[in-house]
């Protein structure tokens, strides 16, 4: 027991502290907010995509689809184009808003979040067109070939401007950071036009953003000019470091490490999922679009965690809840099981984590980590090797096991089977540990009863 206490103490000192501090950085919180804000739109867009690909998953529906919904597919698929097709724009706007709001509230600066969002979008759009040196002049590229279509600098893709999609997410984030920091600098140095009292708020807001807009324009022009002179642009520059991070997050080992740290945080009382996953939302949503729009096979996409890994919530605890609900002998676990079974079906497991409890509980720490690790590995390779379809749609996180897999993979029945098998496997993993813990509690109850 003393060694276990030392282990939890080590986690608190060496893991909880640094990650907690990182999660409190202004930019990290702003990116978290942007990722969460984009989810409702990706869910809506995903539902229409599932509707469109369902006949592919269930061939018997193809004839009915062709004579009905197939005739208006270009109409309703606009909902997908206007979400997944311009995902970078959502991130850029919301990040600008959230980042500005945090500075306004915590640094007591007269910053308007709406101005921050619009200035971020302004900086982002200035960075999108492709520019090159030609005949001693800077010109916008126009190139129409079988491989690419670039019109006056704008790279066109299947859903419109390609750089507004997942290819532009990280550039959108960087330009939002630059814009908000320059906006903050202008306000802090009072480089703004102040309007007299009584002027409508809309007019005051527009004039307050005037000088920052000029500053942002000059800075972005200088950045673009330097990069064009070097034969590149900001999109190409950002692809190198962020591409490296994305490649790590998309590797099997990288995904395993991510979920390992998520569950270590939980063991010391920190909401590991809310701490780590929101920071990865740009990668998750970008991979979702790659699977859906480009036909790639990237396992770590969309709601991968709630679909295959965290079945019933962090730690894949639905299996544990099933055991304590139907097989526990101690009154404590029986009562907890009755209260927790319904929420756990919808991936809400705080009653289990804090009620068993799982945090600081040496009896349950091992299965709480091992079950998700096994789920991660099996589901990752099942997708990577083509045994099931990759996730192409964003299912809402409370969606029950099996249903989320069916929606997320666009109707692949094999994914439902895999999700249910993972549930069964996690139940088996939890069983000996829950049984030992139940026996301990039962013994304690008997001793109290005899006393």
């Amino acid at each position: 027991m003393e060694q276990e206490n030392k282990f939890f103490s080590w986690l608190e000192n060496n893991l909880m502290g640094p990650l907690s501090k990182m999660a409190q950085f202004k930019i990290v919180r702003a990116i978290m907010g942007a990722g969460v804000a984009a989810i409702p739109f990706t869910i809506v867009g995903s539902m229409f995509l599932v509707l469109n690909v369902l006949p592919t998953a269930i061939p018997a529906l193809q004839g009915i689809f062709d004579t009905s919904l197939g005739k208006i597919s270009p109409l309703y698929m606009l909902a997908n184009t206007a979400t997944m097709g311009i995902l970078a724009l959502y991130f850029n706007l919301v990040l600008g808003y959230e980042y500005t709001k945090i500075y306004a509230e915590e640094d007591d600066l007269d910053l308007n979040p709406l101005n921050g969002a619009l200035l971020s979008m302004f900086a982002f759009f200035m960075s999108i067109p492709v520019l090159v040196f030609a005949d001693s002049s800077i010109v916008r590229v126009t190139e129409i070939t079988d491989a690419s279509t670039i019109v006056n600098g704008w790279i066109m893709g299947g859903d419109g401007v390609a750089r507004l999609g997942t290819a532009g997410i990280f550039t959108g984030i960087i330009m939002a950071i630059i814009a908000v920091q320059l906006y903050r600098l202008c306000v802090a140095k009072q480089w703004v036009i102040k309007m007299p009292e009584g002027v409508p708020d809309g007019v005051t807001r527009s004039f307050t953003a005037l000088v920052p807009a000029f500053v942002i324009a000059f800075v972005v022009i200088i950045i673009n000019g330097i990069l064009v002179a070097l034969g590149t642009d900001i999109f190409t520059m950002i692809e190198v470091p962020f591409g490296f991070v994305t490649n790590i997050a998309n590797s099997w080992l990288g995904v395993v490490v991510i979920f390992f740290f998520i569950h270590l945080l939980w063991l010391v009382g920190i909401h590991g999922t809310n701490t780590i996953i929101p920071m990865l939302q740009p990668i998750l949503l970008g991979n979702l679009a790659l699977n859906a729009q480009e036909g790639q096979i990237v396992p770590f996409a969309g709601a991968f965690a709630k679909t295959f890994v965290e079945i019933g919530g962090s730690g894949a605890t639905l299996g544990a809840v099933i055991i304590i609900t139907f097989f526990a002998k101690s009154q404590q676990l029986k009562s907890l099981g009755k209260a927790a079974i319904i929420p756990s079906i919808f991936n809400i497991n705080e009653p289990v984590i804090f009620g068993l409890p799982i945090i600081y509980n040496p009896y349950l720490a091992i299965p709480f980590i091992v079950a998700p690790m096994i789920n991660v590995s099996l589901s990752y390779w099942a997708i990577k090797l083509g045994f099931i379809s990759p996730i192409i749609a964003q299912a809402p996180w409370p969606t029950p096991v099996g249903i989320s897999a069916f929606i997320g993979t666009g109707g692949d029945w094999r994914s439902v089977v895999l999700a249910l098998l993972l549930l069964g496997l996690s139940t088996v993993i939890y069983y000996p540990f829950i049984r030992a813990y139940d026996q301990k509690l039962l013994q304690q109850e008997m001793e109290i009863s005899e006393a």
Side-chain angles (χ1 to χ4, degrees):
M1 185 63 70
E2 183 179 349
Q3 289 181 343
E4 290 160 351
N5 290 335
K6 288 182 179 179
F7 171 70
F8 286 119
S9 177
W10 180 87
L11 285 181
E12 286 183 340
N13 295 330
N14 296 280
L15 181 65
M16 181 177 71
L19 286 178
S20 296
K21 290 179 181 178
M22 184 178 69
Q24 293 306 310
F25 291 162
K26 291 183 175 68
I27 184 56
V28 172
R29 284 183 284 145
I31 292 175
M32 287 181 179
V36 172
I39 288 176
F41 300 98
T42 59
I43 290 175
V44 171
S46 295
M47 293 304 101
F48 286 95
L49 177 62
V50 170
L51 186 65
N52 215 43
V53 302
L54 202 55
T56 304
I58 307 175
L61 298 176
Q62 188 66 54
I64 299 173
F65 179 83
D66 291 341
T67 57
S68 56
L69 291 176
K71 295 182 178 297
I72 59 170
S73 175
L75 176 61
Y76 66 73
M77 279 300 288
L78 288 175
N80 182 267
T81 300
T83 51
M84 302 303 296
I86 56 171
L87 201 55
L89 185 57
Y90 284 95
F91 265 93
N92 174 262
L93 277 170
V94 180
L95 178 57
Y97 184 94
E98 292 288 340
Y99 201 24
T100 305
K101 184 180 178 182
I102 290 172
Y103 269 113
E105 293 175 350
E106 298 181 8
D107 289 13
D108 195 26
L109 291 172
D110 187 19
L111 299 170
N112 187 286
L114 182 58
N115 278 349
L118 295 176
L119 291 169
S120 297
M121 183 176 65
F122 172 51
F124 181 40
F125 272 101
M126 284 188 66
S127 68
I128 290 177
V130 180
L131 304 171
V132 295
F133 263 121
D135 299 327
S136 301
S137 302
I138 294 179
V139 298
R140 290 192 180 194
V141 174
T142 294
E143 177 183 278
I144 301 177
T145 65
D146 293 337
S148 66
T149 300
I150 306 176
V151 180
N152 201 24
W154 299 88
I155 303 175
M156 307 306 294
D159 285 322
V161 180
R163 286 184 166 182
L164 288 178
T166 57
I169 288 178
F170 292 118
T171 301
I173 290 174
I174 295 299
M175 299 314 294
I177 294 172
I178 292 173
V180 172
Q181 288 295 344
L182 291 174
Y183 179 31
R184 182 181 68 86
L185 176 67
C186 290
V187 172
K189 299 293 185 181
Q190 296 187 348
W191 300 339
V192 294
I193 299 175
K194 294 186 177 180
M195 303 300 291
E197 295 290 337
V199 176
D201 291 341
V203 177
T204 300
R205 185 168 57 244
S206 64
F207 275 89
T208 302
L210 185 59
V211 173
F214 269 112
V215 172
I216 290 168
F218 284 124
V219 169
V220 176
I221 288 171
I222 292 171
I223 292 173
N224 285 346
I226 293 173
L227 293 177
V228 170
L230 296 173
T232 183
D233 62 15
I234 192 166
F235 278 81
T236 306
M237 292 286 291
I238 287 176
E239 280 179 2
V240 177
F242 283 100
F244 177 73
V245 173
T246 301
N247 289 336
I248 291 177
N250 289 340
S251 67
W252 168 74
L253 182 59
V255 178
V256 167
V257 169
I258 287 169
F259 283 97
F260 179 72
F261 279 111
I262 286 174
H263 292 85
L264 277 183
L265 285 174
W266 266 119
L267 289 177
V268 291
I270 295 178
H271 200 306
T273 303
N274 284 356
T275 302
I276 293 180
I277 289 296
M279 291 187 285
L280 298 172
Q281 282 297 340
I283 294 174
L284 287 166
L285 295 177
N287 290 343
L288 182 71
L290 290 176
N291 290 340
Q293 298 172 357
E294 299 184 19
Q296 295 193 27
I297 301 176
V298 186
F300 192 50
F304 175 78
K306 296 303 180 190
T307 301
F308 296 116
V309 183
E310 300 177 338
I311 298 173
S314 296
T317 53
L318 182 56
V321 174
I322 291 173
I323 296 169
I324 65 176
T325 302
F326 298 104
F327 302 105
K329 295 180 180 179
S330 65
Q331 290 300 318
Q332 178 179 329
L333 293 192
K334 283 182 179 179
S335 300
L336 178 63
K338 293 176 183 177
I341 185 67
I342 299 300
S344 292
I345 291 173
F346 296 96
N347 298 318
I348 301 169
N349 70 339
E350 279 77 3
V352 179
I353 287 179
F354 297 103
L356 270 175
I358 287 177
I359 60 172
Y360 294 104
N361 190 335
Y363 285 89
L364 301 177
I366 292 176
F368 186 75
I369 292 178
V370 170
M373 295 301 98
I374 291 177
N375 288 354
V376 164
S377 299
L378 293 178
S379 55
Y380 180 95
W381 289 112
I383 294 173
K384 196 72 175 177
L385 298 176
F387 293 122
I388 66 170
S389 301
I391 295 176
I392 62 169
Q394 181 85 1
W397 67 265
T399 307
V401 59
I403 299 176
S404 59
F406 186 80
I407 294 173
T409 57
D412 186 352
W413 63 269
R414 298 170 300 174
S415 68
V416 179
V417 174
L418 174 63
L420 295 176
L421 286 174
L422 294 176
L423 170 59
L425 185 57
S426 62
T427 304
V428 171
I429 292 170
Y430 269 103
Y431 181 76
F433 297 92
I434 294 289
R435 187 171 181 273
Y437 186 52
D438 183 45
Q439 289 293 327
K440 173 179 176 290
L441 295 178
L442 180 62
Q443 183 65 34
Q444 291 176 352
E445 291 174 356
M446 292 174 63
E447 291 174 357
I448 293 173
S449 177
E450 292 174 358

